[in-house]
Amino acid sequence: MKIAITGTHRVGKTTLAEKLHESFPNYDYYTEPYFELEEAGYIFPEIPTADDYLVQLEYSIKQIVQSDRNAIFDRCPIDLLAYIQATDTSQNLSSLFSKVQNMIDEIDLIVFVPIEVPDLISCSESDLPELRYQVNDILYDLISDFDIKTIEVKGSLSERIHQIQNKIHQIQS
């Protein structure tokens, strides 16, 4: 089973993905494309552009296509599509949407981590709070455009893990 964690920045995706991997240690774990690209030498500006998100989108797609067994992905192409849409309204998203749509069947479950009310994780000005909320809103729309099993998780880390475990058992039954 391939599981992709999706959500805007500063909602706890990485913490959730790492904890989920502890629950399913036989799954491969793929870190967020941003960090893998940065480690490989890609230099991101302080405020990434639509082109930077496009590079991450391509890398995310590559991660998913190249994985051949159970996997947990800390970030999803749908996230990156939302960031591209939020940072460049002139961008033609139809070809990117089609590219994501063509590979989305590789994913068995999307775990959507939205911004909760009240917001559980504070976001300083340097963390681009306006972009964060904009991407969160776009994600609600985008996720419904894809025909894929999705679970929206909320609450504490342990509550989120429990919700995902229940969904996985439901899918596998």
Side-chain angles (χ1 to χ4, degrees):
M1 173 176 276
K2 293 181 183 181
I3 304 166
I5 312 293
T6 190
T8 191
H9 55 287
R10 310 267 317 139
V11 291
K13 284 182 316 304
T14 299
T15 303
L16 178 61
E18 290 170 350
K19 193 68 163 175
L20 187 61
H21 186 239
E22 287 177 20
S23 296
F24 295 96
N26 61 327
Y27 280 52
D28 291 335
Y29 176 70
Y30 293 85
T31 59
E32 186 172 333
Y34 178 93
F35 297 121
E36 287 199 16
L37 286 163
E38 193 175 52
E39 190 174 295
Y42 189 94
I43 299 172
F44 288 99
E46 188 173 333
I47 299 175
T49 66
D51 288 339
D52 296 313
Y53 293 118
L54 183 59
V55 169
Q56 292 176 68
L57 172 68
E58 295 293 338
Y59 193 87
S60 179
I61 290 170
K62 185 174 99 175
Q63 284 179 319
I64 292 167
V65 170
Q66 289 181 344
S67 67
D68 60 355
R69 52 181 236 125
N70 293 333
I72 298 168
F73 301 94
D74 178 8
R75 190 130 333 254
C76 172
I78 298 170
D79 300 22
L80 299 160
L81 195 59
Y83 276 97
I84 292 167
Q85 183 176 340
T87 56
D88 185 357
T89 56
S90 68
Q91 182 88 306
N92 179 358
L93 294 180
S94 61
S95 65
L96 293 177
F97 185 91
S98 294
K99 183 181 270 192
V100 172
Q101 180 67 51
N102 289 337
M103 61 69 49
I104 209 73
D105 289 338
E106 297 279 327
I107 298 173
D108 300 296
L109 178 64
I110 297 284
V111 176
F112 177 40
V113 185
I115 297 173
E116 294 191 47
V117 178
D119 197 347
L120 299 179
I121 301 174
S122 64
C123 185
S124 67
E125 277 304 309
S126 65
D127 288 325
L128 307 170
E130 288 178 28
L131 177 62
R132 182 172 177 252
Y133 278 97
Q134 189 177 8
V135 168
N136 189 71
D137 292 344
I138 292 169
L139 279 171
Y140 271 109
D141 293 335
L142 274 179
I143 289 170
S144 64
D145 291 341
F146 292 95
D147 183 27
I148 187 167
K149 285 185 178 79
T150 304
I151 180 172
E152 182 177 321
V153 296
K154 294 184 178 182
S156 68
L157 179 58
S158 61
E159 291 169 330
R160 292 174 178 186
I161 291 293
H162 185 71
Q163 292 165 39
I164 297 167
Q165 289 170 332
N166 286 343
K167 184 68 171 183
I168 290 170
H169 293 309
Q170 177 189 0
I171 291 170
Q172 293 176 337
S173 298

